[in-house]
Amino acid sequence: PPPPPPPEHPWKSKPDPIEFTKSCTQTLLRVPVFPGNWDVSGVTCNGQSLDVSWRARDYGWIDHIRQVVPQVVISGEGKVASLSVPLSALTIGKDEPVIVGKQRVMDMYSLAQRYGFPINITAAAAQNPPPGQPGANLPVIDWGEMLWTVKGTLEPLLVVQVLDGPGFRIDSMDAVWNNGQIVWNLEGTQYVKP
């Protein structure tokens, strides 16, 4: 018998990357990142929520942070605080046709070079048939996946706007406070034609 139809393209159900990035960065602007005597220790955004965590300084008291961030959750003997802010629903991407992997990788490296940000692109592990099943009658997967990361950018929206293209999706963003600036790390998947 002929193989079953290929599974749905995964990029079809992932959020639009530009909207994802804007939602994360704009939500962070509404969070009081610097409550008195507490240092921000991490920011993570996964498309559903923006999660911010803080560590208390020597005189960082729960009372201080609760005055500024009333919804905060305290843990770690009163020295760790966290806040999870749900993001508004994001527009889901579309099932656009993707381009050949080698060409897309070359384009992404070229754009990163031109705009001066570091990018790392690696092929995702190939999907093997489940053990004990003959490979002859499995659905044909008509795409490949490249995992990409950009670390240490001050301009996450610029990076995503520059790299955006068919099958380009962002999976998560995280940020740290470094030398007086919020520095972002981005991770995502670039779907390609094999």
Side-chain angles (χ1 to χ4, degrees), residues 11-39:
W11 59 94
K12 185 176 157 181
S13 59
K14 287 188 168 187
D16 173 80
I18 291 174
E19 196 177 319
F20 183 115
T21 307
K22 282 182 180 173
S23 183
C24 292
T25 53
Q26 288 169 359
T27 301
L28 184 60
L29 293 176
R30 297 195 309 266
V31 174
V33 180
F34 302 106
N37 292 329
W38 289 74
D39 293 321

Side-chain angles (χ1 to χ4, degrees), residues 70-91:
Q71 321 86 310
V72 76
V73 175
I74 304 292
S75 60
E77 298 175 7
K79 295 289 186 187
V80 177
S82 59
L83 176 70
S84 185
V85 183
L87 300 180
S88 50
L90 298 173
T91 304

Side-chain angles (χ1 to χ4, degrees), residues 49 69 76 178 191:
S49 67
V69 190
N178 188 352
Y191 297 95

